[in-house]
Amino acid sequence: METSTTVPEAVAALHAGIDLLTDEVVHDLRAQLPSYAAVSADELRPRVAASLRNGLALVQRWSAEDHRSPRGAGRGGRTYDIPATHLDEVTALTRSLPVEDIITAYRIGTDIVWRRFGEEMAVRHGTAEDLLPIAETLRAWADANTLHIVRSCRAGLQPRAVTATDHRRAALVRALLLGEARWDDPSLSGVARDTGQRDGRPADDCRADGHPDDGATDCAYDRNVLRLPFRARLPGVPGPAPAPRTPGDSHPGSDSDDRALARTIDLLRPWLALDTAGKPLVTTVEGDVAGLLVGRPGGLCHSLVVGLGAPAPASGLAREFTRATQALRAAVGSGLVGAFTRDELGLRATVVAMPDVGEQLVRLRLAPLAERGEDGAQLEEAAAAYLRQGLRLEAAARTLYVHPNTLRNRLRRFEEITGSSLRDPADLAEIWWALTHRLIHGPTS
């Protein structure tokens, strides 16, 4: 039994409307993937169109093969190769977009093509017998190409050597964030002295270790442009480590540190500020990823904890970075995920900014428990759970896996030992502050 001629007719119709199909795919990619939204539609359109033409040509070829063969014959040995030039395009794309987003984009495009193909088949009264072989083939082709893309990207994205320019860029960003940039050279005319630009040429003090500039890019920074400083960490990652590292650095640092750095940059890529060579203005500060953004992140930040400062010119970045650091520490200490400013975190951020007050309250409200060892720690845990659950006794007891009466007894003993009242709003506020201080800052010295 031969395949119906409706299949090649439907494919031919999609070929004829390739421009509209391309526009639909480009629109959905930019609507669903923030990293693609940061790429112009004009840049995406030729790549999407080439991929669609390739896929439709293969479906057309397979349909012709099936039309000449008995149903089911010849499919087992079918290959799903895509042109090497297309793989080169994909590999080039991964230099500016996360690989997982490229794979997702491939799936989005495949779904749109299949929907449009189904519509064309319905107009031509195609049957399920016509559609099923094409559906199986199209899905297998998409799966094979996804695997091919991943392998090609891995082969094409070998770690590159860290250049002097990379180190300069990271050092400049650190200097801006930590308030170490120098602004006292009148010849710079709106550009920080640390940018290394004098009369349009890189200055000597912007070169690493006294070696000649490698020519990859300059590290100029416009001191008047407004940028948002940020400090970020993946959820569950331990506290900061002391040594700063350059993004892409192949020197000291564990594989997990490299993966965390790369993942953080990928998640924030659509919002990262770039230098004139298109490189993100990021660095590391005490193990956290830090840098500059052009706008507030959204969407993908459910996988990241980000402290944000307000938009500021270069001279105000250090002040706002301090606020971003306080926001990050407050969010991490409170178990929050997402992007936050210091103001949005309210008292949590105040606990970070005023450690002396927190230490006083720890001594006042929690120190008596320390003398009782493990029993005191159990009572502190009971009070913390009670506050976390909004003073709801039964809910707090469930989180501790104890009977409500057991928790009630522990809270009574907490009040007796600390001299506090869990019914007095002022005492409650001080207990909460002391507990939050210990959570964020660690044990009081």
Side-chain angles (χ1 to χ4, degrees), residues 9-27:
E9 289 173 0
V11 173
L14 292 182
H15 264 300
I18 193 71
D19 290 340
L20 291 177
L21 186 60
T22 299
D23 288 342
E24 183 177 358
V25 173
V26 169
H27 175 271

Side-chain angles (χ1 to χ4, degrees), residues 257-313:
D257 289 341
D258 289 336
R259 287 194 295 271
L261 177 64
R263 178 62 176 161
T264 301
I265 292 175
D266 278 346
L267 289 171
L268 291 176
R269 194 179 299 276
W271 303 279
L272 287 173
L274 306 177
D275 68 4
T276 54
K279 303 295 184 182
L281 293 172
V282 294
T283 186
T284 55
V285 175
E286 297 178 327
D288 293 326
V289 180
L292 303 171
L293 303 172
V294 296
R296 177 167 183 146
L300 295 177
C301 272
H302 63 265
S303 302
L304 199 61
V305 190
V306 185
L308 298 172

Side-chain angles (χ1 to χ4, degrees), residues 176-177 183 223 227 229 310-322:
L176 290 168
L177 297 178
W183 310 99
R223 65 192 292 183
R227 299 270 169 76
S315 59
L317 289 175
R319 179 185 65 254
E320 293 302 323
F321 182 68
T322 297

Side-chain angles (χ1 to χ4, degrees), residues 118-298:
E119 292 170 357
E120 292 293 341
M121 289 290 287
V123 169
R124 290 163 178 76
H125 306 290
T127 66
E129 204 172 35
D130 295 325
L131 283 168
L132 283 176
I134 298 299
E136 293 169 1
T137 300
L138 188 61
R139 294 298 178 185
W141 176 71
D143 290 342
N145 284 341
T146 297
L147 181 61
H148 207 157
I149 287 169
V150 172
R151 288 172 175 169
S152 299
C153 290
R154 285 176 178 169
L157 293 176
Q158 298 301 322
R160 65 180 180 85
V162 179
T163 66
T165 300
D166 294 326
H167 285 294
R168 289 198 303 275
R169 184 185 305 109
L172 171 62
V173 175
R174 271 195 296 273
L176 290 168
L177 297 178
L178 300 179
E180 298 169 356
R182 293 167 290 171
W183 310 99
D184 56 353
D185 189 339
S187 68
L188 297 181
S189 184
V191 178
R193 184 178 179 189
D194 285 20
T195 64
Q197 287 290 304
R198 289 194 177 91
D199 299 325
R201 299 187 305 277
D204 291 339
D205 63 357
C206 194
R207 297 174 184 171
D209 303 321
H211 294 295
D213 180 50
D214 58 19
T217 182
D218 62 59
C219 39
Y221 186 87
D222 184 346
R223 65 192 292 183
N224 297 314
V225 68
L226 298 181
R227 299 270 169 76
L228 284 76
F230 76 90
R231 186 164 179 168
R233 193 183 304 171
L234 293 175
V237 172
R245 299 178 54 239
T246 301
D249 200 341
S250 58
H251 296 299
S254 67
D255 290 341
S256 61
D257 289 341
D258 289 336
R259 287 194 295 271
L261 177 64
R263 178 62 176 161
T264 301
I265 292 175
D266 278 346
L267 289 171
L268 291 176
R269 194 179 299 276
W271 303 279
L272 287 173
L274 306 177
D275 68 4
T276 54
K279 303 295 184 182
L281 293 172
V282 294
T283 186
T284 55
V285 175
E286 297 178 327
D288 293 326
V289 180
L292 303 171
L293 303 172
V294 296
R296 177 167 183 146

